[in-house]
Amino acid sequence: MKKICKIKIHPLLIPLFLFYLIQGNALLFLGILFFVTLHEIGHCITAVCFGAKIKQIWFTPVGERAIIKGLESPSFLQRQIIFCSGPLVSACMALICMICGSTIFAGFNFILCLFNLLPFLPLDGGNIVLHWAGKKYGILRTASILVKIGRGFGYFLMGIGILQVILYPFNLSLLVIGCYIVYSNKKEYLQITYQTYQALLAENATMKQVEQIYTKRDVKLGELVERMHFDRYFFYCSMKDGIVEWKSQKEIMELLLKKGAEAYVWK
C-alpha cells in the first residue's frame, strides 16, 4: 500500500500530555486534540480536492500542522479556500458544541478559529496574507517580512505567558504557544523557499498566464526570484547593443540553483 504522508510528533507533545494527566485533565487534552485534528482535516480535504498532496502531518504542542505539497497547482482562490477551510471547520464545531451544551469546547473552537486567522506565520491568517501580498510583492520577499513579524508575535506571547504563569501557576498555554511560534518561524522561511522553488520549477507552471518584465542589466538572480509568485509564469528581458535578450522563469531558477542568488542575470 502506498504511503500517503508522514506522521511526525513534536517532542514537547508527550510532556504536555503528562502535565494534563497529572492535573486530571487528560480528557480535556484529548478533546482539544480532537477538535484541532478536525481543523487540520478541513485543510487536508480541500487541498486534496484541489489537486495538492499532504506531504506530512506534524503533531505539535498546539495541535497538528499539515505540510501541503503542490500548492502551485490550485488557483489563487483555491489556495485561499484551503487556508480558510480549517477556521471554517472550527467555527462549525463551535456552533455544534454550543447547541450540544458544551460551552468549554464551544469556546475553545471559537478561539481556535479566531486565533488561526491572525496574520502571523505559521497560522492560517499568515498564509492568507503571504499569498495575497505575495501576488503583488513576491512570495519570498513577503515571507521574509512575515517571518520576522511572526517571530516578534511569538516573543510577545511568551512575555504574556510568563505573566500568566506568575498570576495563574501551572497555566502554560500562552507560553507554550509563543515558544512554538518562535521555533516555527526560525524554519518557516526555509520551508517556504523550498516550496517556492519547487513550484517555480514545476512543469505545469507554464500553463499559467505569462507576465513579461523588463529588467536592468545589473539585476541579480535572487532579486528576480524573490518577486515571483505562483499565479504567473514570468519571462524577463533586457536590452544589449540594441538586441533584446530573454530568459524564462525556468531558466532563471536553473541559473539560481547553479550560480546562487548573488549572481547576475545578464552578466
Side-chain angles (χ1 to χ4, degrees):
M1 183 176 178
K2 188 176 180 180
K3 201 172 183 180
I4 299 176
C5 67
K6 294 180 180 179
I7 304 295
K8 186 178 179 181
I9 299 177
H10 195 281
L12 286 177
L13 189 64
I14 296 176
L16 186 64
F17 172 71
L18 293 176
F19 176 77
Y20 275 87
L21 184 63
I22 293 170
Q23 287 192 315
N25 292 323
L27 291 178
L28 176 64
F29 177 84
L30 294 175
I32 290 173
L33 192 62
F34 170 74
F35 285 113
V36 176
T37 300
L38 291 182
H39 174 103
E40 208 61 34
I41 286 174
H43 291 304
C44 293
I45 291 175
T46 51
V48 171
C49 288
F50 291 139
K53 296 181 180 179
I54 310 304
K55 181 180 179 182
Q56 177 180 291
I57 296 179
W58 190 19
F59 285 79
T60 76
V62 290
E64 291 96 298
R65 184 185 178 194
I67 305 299
I68 301 173
K69 182 180 179 181
L71 272 176
E72 73 279 356
S73 299
S75 66
F76 174 79
L77 178 59
Q78 289 172 339
R79 290 198 302 275
Q80 299 306 311
I81 293 173
I82 291 171
F83 299 138
C84 290
S85 57
L88 180 60
V89 169
S90 295
C92 292
M93 289 298 104
L95 181 61
I96 292 172
C97 289
M98 190 179 297
I99 294 172
C100 294
S102 179
T103 55
I104 293 177
F105 286 124
F108 170 76
N109 278 288
F110 181 70
I111 293 172
L112 181 64
C113 172
L114 293 182
F115 181 76
N116 270 279
L117 288 175
L118 293 175
F120 306 108
L121 291 173
L123 304 177
D124 298 327
N127 280 294
I128 291 170
V129 173
L130 174 65
H131 286 264
W132 271 101
K135 196 172 182 180
K136 182 176 181 180
Y137 303 107
I139 291 290
L140 296 182
R141 189 181 182 189
T142 304
S144 66
I145 297 172
L146 288 179
V147 163
K148 294 175 184 176
I149 295 174
R151 194 179 303 166
F153 176 64
Y155 284 123
F156 170 77
L157 286 183
M158 287 172 64
I160 300 298
I162 292 171
L163 292 177
Q164 183 187 45
V165 172
I166 295 173
L167 296 174
Y168 307 99
F170 304 111
N171 192 336
L172 304 174
S173 56
L174 289 179
L175 185 59
V176 171
I177 292 172
C179 290
Y180 168 71
I181 290 177
V182 170
Y183 172 80
S184 296
N185 274 282
K186 287 182 178 179
K187 298 183 177 180
E188 194 70 18
Y189 186 75
L190 290 176
Q191 179 67 34
I192 293 172
T193 300
Y194 174 73
Q195 291 177 336
T196 302
Y197 281 16
Q198 280 192 321
L200 296 178
L201 283 166
E203 294 297 329
N204 61 349
T206 57
M207 302 299 292
K208 299 185 178 180
Q209 186 174 346
V210 171
E211 182 168 338
Q212 301 178 8
I213 299 175
Y214 174 80
T215 72
K216 297 179 180 178
R217 298 297 297 181
D218 59 350
V219 68
K220 294 181 180 180
L221 290 163
E223 294 177 42
L224 297 188
V225 174
E226 71 175 3
R227 287 171 171 77
M228 293 181 185
H229 54 82
F230 301 162
D231 300 290
R232 294 286 188 275
Y233 189 85
F234 294 90
F235 275 92
Y236 295 97
C237 65
S238 183
M239 184 78 72
K240 182 180 180 181
D241 300 329
I243 300 175
V244 178
E245 297 182 7
W246 291 89
K247 289 192 185 297
S248 68
Q249 172 179 303
K250 189 173 182 180
E251 288 175 318
I252 295 294
M253 291 304 300
E254 288 173 345
L255 282 172
L256 177 76
L257 295 176
K258 183 179 179 180
K259 297 183 177 181
E262 294 299 313
Y264 292 97
V265 178
W266 307 105
K267 294 183 179 180

